[in-house]
Amino acid sequence: MIALDQQRFRGAMPDQLTLQSRKFQLYSKDFSNVDQAVPLRLLYGQGRFSGVQVTPIFAFRSEAVEADEQKKNGSAPSSYRYWGTLPVAICHGVVNDDSQIELFEISNGETSIWSGSYTREDADSHGKVIISTTVGTIHLYFGSFDQDPSPILSNLEIDLGAGPVSIPTPAWKGVVWALLYNVSFGQQPVPPTLLFHIRRQVAVLPSTSVTEYTDAVVPEVIYDALTNKRYGAGIDPLDLDIDSFEEAAVATIAEGLMHSPMLESQQQLSSFVAEQLQFIDAVLYE
């Protein structure tokens, strides 16, 4: 049970439970049998951050910047422009049918390359939207559990010396990710560091499933961290007093006590919950 009442006794929170305990498995750079693994961001509310490259760069190409004379006399051009295609993982996706993911802006460093609003409702039958930016086309997948693999990646092949083979392409269900398709790298042979401004609302409590909020409702954050089986503790909701979380959520919404916590590495569940309880001056008790 959660209560906005410091006179209550704090319930015991097992220290061995680790939030964000499961890592997002990535393909290795040479597509060997050894996987790489990096933590996938866990966002509540809104945030602005870069994605994590999950495969090598595909369809990489370059073009000389210099005039035609240098090509005619055989001298090596001193400057090139580069383009490529690659997927980047952004953050954990939806929790249920009421969850919302919204993209506000994409920027290249401090330069905005697209702004507007796309949500899950705008996605096509594959679970994505196609965005035209000033550096190229980006396909954004909203992290639903029925999204399809990218047909672009599925149709690509790679030759490791034994002939062309298809690229293993998962759907990355439950993960918000973007395909940078033929995106300009500028005059560096490395992809740009694109920042995605995203809002994620888990909507696991009745009061939050009918209204959209920019920041996260803290009692809902705690409830999701305790019950989520994908990245949280996986506690049975029947073992929690959901009415107390709902009452606390309504009270904090009325008081405007909301913020946007984000995890980029593993953290003890007790520590994360304690931080959220302190923010709203609440206690969790048995």
mmCIF file with all atom_site columns, all heavy atoms in Angstrom, residues 158-174:
data_model
loop_
_atom_site.group_PDB
_atom_site.id
_atom_site.type_symbol
_atom_site.label_atom_id
_atom_site.label_alt_id
_atom_site.label_comp_id
_atom_site.label_asym_id
_atom_site.label_entity_id
_atom_site.label_seq_id
_atom_site.pdbx_PDB_ins_code
_atom_site.Cartn_x
_atom_site.Cartn_y
_atom_site.Cartn_z
_atom_site.occupancy
_atom_site.B_iso_or_equiv
_atom_site.pdbx_formal_charge
_atom_site.auth_seq_id
_atom_site.auth_comp_id
_atom_site.auth_asym_id
_atom_site.auth_atom_id
_atom_site.pdbx_PDB_model_num
ATOM 1   N N   . ILE A 1 158 ? 24.253 -9.350  -46.357 1.00 0.00 ? 158 ILE A N   1
ATOM 2   C CA  . ILE A 1 158 ? 25.637 -9.032  -46.011 1.00 0.00 ? 158 ILE A CA  1
ATOM 3   C C   . ILE A 1 158 ? 26.521 -10.206 -46.422 1.00 0.00 ? 158 ILE A C   1
ATOM 4   O O   . ILE A 1 158 ? 26.117 -11.370 -46.318 1.00 0.00 ? 158 ILE A O   1
ATOM 5   C CB  . ILE A 1 158 ? 25.766 -8.749  -44.491 1.00 0.00 ? 158 ILE A CB  1
ATOM 6   C CG1 . ILE A 1 158 ? 27.153 -8.209  -44.158 1.00 0.00 ? 158 ILE A CG1 1
ATOM 7   C CG2 . ILE A 1 158 ? 25.436 -9.965  -43.658 1.00 0.00 ? 158 ILE A CG2 1
ATOM 8   C CD1 . ILE A 1 158 ? 27.270 -7.675  -42.748 1.00 0.00 ? 158 ILE A CD1 1
ATOM 9   N N   . ASP A 1 159 ? 27.713 -9.899  -46.919 1.00 0.00 ? 159 ASP A N   1
ATOM 10  C CA  . ASP A 1 159 ? 28.647 -10.930 -47.370 1.00 0.00 ? 159 ASP A CA  1
ATOM 11  C C   . ASP A 1 159 ? 29.856 -10.936 -46.440 1.00 0.00 ? 159 ASP A C   1
ATOM 12  O O   . ASP A 1 159 ? 30.639 -9.992  -46.402 1.00 0.00 ? 159 ASP A O   1
ATOM 13  C CB  . ASP A 1 159 ? 29.089 -10.647 -48.809 1.00 0.00 ? 159 ASP A CB  1
ATOM 14  C CG  . ASP A 1 159 ? 29.848 -11.815 -49.414 1.00 0.00 ? 159 ASP A CG  1
ATOM 15  O OD1 . ASP A 1 159 ? 30.292 -12.708 -48.653 1.00 0.00 ? 159 ASP A OD1 1
ATOM 16  O OD2 . ASP A 1 159 ? 30.005 -11.834 -50.652 1.00 0.00 ? 159 ASP A OD2 1
ATOM 17  N N   . LEU A 1 160 ? 29.990 -12.008 -45.666 1.00 0.00 ? 160 LEU A N   1
ATOM 18  C CA  . LEU A 1 160 ? 31.105 -12.136 -44.730 1.00 0.00 ? 160 LEU A CA  1
ATOM 19  C C   . LEU A 1 160 ? 32.226 -12.996 -45.311 1.00 0.00 ? 160 LEU A C   1
ATOM 20  O O   . LEU A 1 160 ? 33.126 -13.418 -44.595 1.00 0.00 ? 160 LEU A O   1
ATOM 21  C CB  . LEU A 1 160 ? 30.623 -12.742 -43.410 1.00 0.00 ? 160 LEU A CB  1
ATOM 22  C CG  . LEU A 1 160 ? 29.545 -11.935 -42.668 1.00 0.00 ? 160 LEU A CG  1
ATOM 23  C CD1 . LEU A 1 160 ? 29.105 -12.660 -41.409 1.00 0.00 ? 160 LEU A CD1 1
ATOM 24  C CD2 . LEU A 1 160 ? 30.044 -10.545 -42.336 1.00 0.00 ? 160 LEU A CD2 1
ATOM 25  N N   . GLY A 1 161 ? 32.154 -13.265 -46.625 1.00 0.00 ? 161 GLY A N   1
ATOM 26  C CA  . GLY A 1 161 ? 33.200 -14.042 -47.274 1.00 0.00 ? 161 GLY A CA  1
ATOM 27  C C   . GLY A 1 161 ? 32.710 -15.332 -47.875 1.00 0.00 ? 161 GLY A C   1
ATOM 28  O O   . GLY A 1 161 ? 33.367 -15.923 -48.729 1.00 0.00 ? 161 GLY A O   1
ATOM 29  N N   . ALA A 1 162 ? 31.542 -15.790 -47.453 1.00 0.00 ? 162 ALA A N   1
ATOM 30  C CA  . ALA A 1 162 ? 30.981 -17.041 -47.958 1.00 0.00 ? 162 ALA A CA  1
ATOM 31  C C   . ALA A 1 162 ? 29.768 -16.803 -48.848 1.00 0.00 ? 162 ALA A C   1
ATOM 32  O O   . ALA A 1 162 ? 28.986 -17.708 -49.099 1.00 0.00 ? 162 ALA A O   1
ATOM 33  C CB  . ALA A 1 162 ? 30.603 -17.949 -46.795 1.00 0.00 ? 162 ALA A CB  1
ATOM 34  N N   . GLY A 1 163 ? 29.604 -15.577 -49.304 1.00 0.00 ? 163 GLY A N   1
ATOM 35  C CA  . GLY A 1 163 ? 28.463 -15.251 -50.139 1.00 0.00 ? 163 GLY A CA  1
ATOM 36  C C   . GLY A 1 163 ? 27.420 -14.464 -49.372 1.00 0.00 ? 163 GLY A C   1
ATOM 37  O O   . GLY A 1 163 ? 27.416 -14.436 -48.134 1.00 0.00 ? 163 GLY A O   1
ATOM 38  N N   . PRO A 1 164 ? 26.534 -13.784 -50.091 1.00 0.00 ? 164 PRO A N   1
ATOM 39  C CA  . PRO A 1 164 ? 25.518 -12.949 -49.442 1.00 0.00 ? 164 PRO A CA  1
ATOM 40  C C   . PRO A 1 164 ? 24.552 -13.788 -48.589 1.00 0.00 ? 164 PRO A C   1
ATOM 41  O O   . PRO A 1 164 ? 24.130 -14.868 -49.004 1.00 0.00 ? 164 PRO A O   1
ATOM 42  C CB  . PRO A 1 164 ? 24.786 -12.291 -50.608 1.00 0.00 ? 164 PRO A CB  1
ATOM 43  C CG  . PRO A 1 164 ? 25.691 -12.445 -51.779 1.00 0.00 ? 164 PRO A CG  1
ATOM 44  C CD  . PRO A 1 164 ? 26.457 -13.707 -51.552 1.00 0.00 ? 164 PRO A CD  1
ATOM 45  N N   . VAL A 1 165 ? 24.238 -13.285 -47.417 1.00 0.00 ? 165 VAL A N   1
ATOM 46  C CA  . VAL A 1 165 ? 23.243 -13.923 -46.550 1.00 0.00 ? 165 VAL A CA  1
ATOM 47  C C   . VAL A 1 165 ? 22.308 -12.833 -46.033 1.00 0.00 ? 165 VAL A C   1
ATOM 48  O O   . VAL A 1 165 ? 22.675 -11.663 -45.934 1.00 0.00 ? 165 VAL A O   1
ATOM 49  C CB  . VAL A 1 165 ? 23.902 -14.652 -45.356 1.00 0.00 ? 165 VAL A CB  1
ATOM 50  C CG1 . VAL A 1 165 ? 24.732 -15.822 -45.833 1.00 0.00 ? 165 VAL A CG1 1
ATOM 51  C CG2 . VAL A 1 165 ? 24.742 -13.693 -44.527 1.00 0.00 ? 165 VAL A CG2 1
ATOM 52  N N   . SER A 1 166 ? 21.082 -13.243 -45.717 1.00 0.00 ? 166 SER A N   1
ATOM 53  C CA  . SER A 1 166 ? 20.110 -12.295 -45.182 1.00 0.00 ? 166 SER A CA  1
ATOM 54  C C   . SER A 1 166 ? 20.516 -11.840 -43.782 1.00 0.00 ? 166 SER A C   1
ATOM 55  O O   . SER A 1 166 ? 21.144 -12.585 -43.028 1.00 0.00 ? 166 SER A O   1
ATOM 56  C CB  . SER A 1 166 ? 18.714 -12.934 -45.137 1.00 0.00 ? 166 SER A CB  1
ATOM 57  O OG  . SER A 1 166 ? 18.291 -13.283 -46.436 1.00 0.00 ? 166 SER A OG  1
ATOM 58  N N   . ILE A 1 167 ? 20.154 -10.647 -43.454 1.00 0.00 ? 167 ILE A N   1
ATOM 59  C CA  . ILE A 1 167 ? 20.470 -10.088 -42.140 1.00 0.00 ? 167 ILE A CA  1
ATOM 60  C C   . ILE A 1 167 ? 19.416 -10.545 -41.143 1.00 0.00 ? 167 ILE A C   1
ATOM 61  O O   . ILE A 1 167 ? 18.216 -10.410 -41.397 1.00 0.00 ? 167 ILE A O   1
ATOM 62  C CB  . ILE A 1 167 ? 20.503 -8.549  -42.207 1.00 0.00 ? 167 ILE A CB  1
ATOM 63  C CG1 . ILE A 1 167 ? 21.629 -8.090  -43.135 1.00 0.00 ? 167 ILE A CG1 1
ATOM 64  C CG2 . ILE A 1 167 ? 20.662 -7.942  -40.828 1.00 0.00 ? 167 ILE A CG2 1
ATOM 65  C CD1 . ILE A 1 167 ? 21.602 -6.617  -43.429 1.00 0.00 ? 167 ILE A CD1 1
ATOM 66  N N   . PRO A 1 168 ? 19.816 -11.110 -40.009 1.00 0.00 ? 168 PRO A N   1
ATOM 67  C CA  . PRO A 1 168 ? 18.822 -11.466 -38.979 1.00 0.00 ? 168 PRO A CA  1
ATOM 68  C C   . PRO A 1 168 ? 18.180 -10.202 -38.426 1.00 0.00 ? 168 PRO A C   1
ATOM 69  O O   . PRO A 1 168 ? 18.857 -9.348  -37.862 1.00 0.00 ? 168 PRO A O   1
ATOM 70  C CB  . PRO A 1 168 ? 19.654 -12.194 -37.915 1.00 0.00 ? 168 PRO A CB  1
ATOM 71  C CG  . PRO A 1 168 ? 21.053 -11.714 -38.130 1.00 0.00 ? 168 PRO A CG  1
ATOM 72  C CD  . PRO A 1 168 ? 21.191 -11.412 -39.584 1.00 0.00 ? 168 PRO A CD  1
ATOM 73  N N   . THR A 1 169 ? 16.880 -10.086 -38.607 1.00 0.00 ? 169 THR A N   1
ATOM 74  C CA  . THR A 1 169 ? 16.186 -8.843  -38.266 1.00 0.00 ? 169 THR A CA  1
ATOM 75  C C   . THR A 1 169 ? 15.021 -9.115  -37.326 1.00 0.00 ? 169 THR A C   1
ATOM 76  O O   . THR A 1 169 ? 13.961 -9.567  -37.758 1.00 0.00 ? 169 THR A O   1
ATOM 77  C CB  . THR A 1 169 ? 15.651 -8.154  -39.542 1.00 0.00 ? 169 THR A CB  1
ATOM 78  O OG1 . THR A 1 169 ? 16.711 -8.023  -40.485 1.00 0.00 ? 169 THR A OG1 1
ATOM 79  C CG2 . THR A 1 169 ? 15.089 -6.788  -39.216 1.00 0.00 ? 169 THR A CG2 1
ATOM 80  N N   . PRO A 1 170 ? 15.179 -8.860  -36.033 1.00 0.00 ? 170 PRO A N   1
ATOM 81  C CA  . PRO A 1 170 ? 14.062 -9.027  -35.112 1.00 0.00 ? 170 PRO A CA  1
ATOM 82  C C   . PRO A 1 170 ? 13.093 -7.857  -35.211 1.00 0.00 ? 170 PRO A C   1
ATOM 83  O O   . PRO A 1 170 ? 13.404 -6.816  -35.815 1.00 0.00 ? 170 PRO A O   1
ATOM 84  C CB  . PRO A 1 170 ? 14.744 -9.051  -33.739 1.00 0.00 ? 170 PRO A CB  1
ATOM 85  C CG  . PRO A 1 170 ? 15.954 -8.203  -33.925 1.00 0.00 ? 170 PRO A CG  1
ATOM 86  C CD  . PRO A 1 170 ? 16.412 -8.449  -35.346 1.00 0.00 ? 170 PRO A CD  1
ATOM 87  N N   . ALA A 1 171 ? 11.927 -8.016  -34.619 1.00 0.00 ? 171 ALA A N   1
ATOM 88  C CA  . ALA A 1 171 ? 10.952 -6.922  -34.587 1.00 0.00 ? 171 ALA A CA  1
ATOM 89  C C   . ALA A 1 171 ? 11.216 -5.985  -33.416 1.00 0.00 ? 171 ALA A C   1
ATOM 90  O O   . ALA A 1 171 ? 10.652 -4.894  -33.371 1.00 0.00 ? 171 ALA A O   1
ATOM 91  C CB  . ALA A 1 171 ? 9.538  -7.483  -34.494 1.00 0.00 ? 171 ALA A CB  1
ATOM 92  N N   . TRP A 1 172 ? 12.061 -6.403  -32.478 1.00 0.00 ? 172 TRP A N   1
ATOM 93  C CA  . TRP A 1 172 ? 12.326 -5.625  -31.261 1.00 0.00 ? 172 TRP A CA  1
ATOM 94  C C   . TRP A 1 172 ? 11.012 -5.189  -30.611 1.00 0.00 ? 172 TRP A C   1
ATOM 95  O O   . TRP A 1 172 ? 10.783 -4.006  -30.329 1.00 0.00 ? 172 TRP A O   1
ATOM 96  C CB  . TRP A 1 172 ? 13.220 -4.426  -31.568 1.00 0.00 ? 172 TRP A CB  1
ATOM 97  C CG  . TRP A 1 172 ? 14.617 -4.808  -31.923 1.00 0.00 ? 172 TRP A CG  1
ATOM 98  C CD1 . TRP A 1 172 ? 15.461 -5.591  -31.204 1.00 0.00 ? 172 TRP A CD1 1
ATOM 99  C CD2 . TRP A 1 172 ? 15.345 -4.439  -33.106 1.00 0.00 ? 172 TRP A CD2 1
ATOM 100 N NE1 . TRP A 1 172 ? 16.664 -5.747  -31.858 1.00 0.00 ? 172 TRP A NE1 1
ATOM 101 C CE2 . TRP A 1 172 ? 16.625 -5.046  -33.025 1.00 0.00 ? 172 TRP A CE2 1
ATOM 102 C CE3 . TRP A 1 172 ? 15.038 -3.651  -34.218 1.00 0.00 ? 172 TRP A CE3 1
ATOM 103 C CZ2 . TRP A 1 172 ? 17.591 -4.900  -34.011 1.00 0.00 ? 172 TRP A CZ2 1
ATOM 104 C CZ3 . TRP A 1 172 ? 16.011 -3.504  -35.203 1.00 0.00 ? 172 TRP A CZ3 1
ATOM 105 C CH2 . TRP A 1 172 ? 17.265 -4.121  -35.097 1.00 0.00 ? 172 TRP A CH2 1
ATOM 106 N N   . LYS A 1 173 ? 10.153 -6.176  -30.370 1.00 0.00 ? 173 LYS A N   1
ATOM 107 C CA  . LYS A 1 173 ? 8.845  -5.897  -29.770 1.00 0.00 ? 173 LYS A CA  1
ATOM 108 C C   . LYS A 1 173 ? 9.026  -5.317  -28.367 1.00 0.00 ? 173 LYS A C   1
ATOM 109 O O   . LYS A 1 173 ? 9.883  -5.744  -27.604 1.00 0.00 ? 173 LYS A O   1
ATOM 110 C CB  . LYS A 1 173 ? 8.008  -7.178  -29.708 1.00 0.00 ? 173 LYS A CB  1
ATOM 111 C CG  . LYS A 1 173 ? 7.686  -7.768  -31.074 1.00 0.00 ? 173 LYS A CG  1
ATOM 112 C CD  . LYS A 1 173 ? 6.882  -9.043  -30.947 1.00 0.00 ? 173 LYS A CD  1
ATOM 113 C CE  . LYS A 1 173 ? 6.638  -9.700  -32.309 1.00 0.00 ? 173 LYS A CE  1
ATOM 114 N NZ  . LYS A 1 173 ? 5.793  -8.878  -33.190 1.00 0.00 ? 173 LYS A NZ  1
ATOM 115 N N   . GLY A 1 174 ? 8.211  -4.326  -28.051 1.00 0.00 ? 174 GLY A N   1
ATOM 116 C CA  . GLY A 1 174 ? 8.303  -3.667  -26.757 1.00 0.00 ? 174 GLY A CA  1
ATOM 117 C C   . GLY A 1 174 ? 9.432  -2.665  -26.660 1.00 0.00 ? 174 GLY A C   1
ATOM 118 O O   . GLY A 1 174 ? 9.718  -2.163  -25.572 1.00 0.00 ? 174 GLY A O   1
#
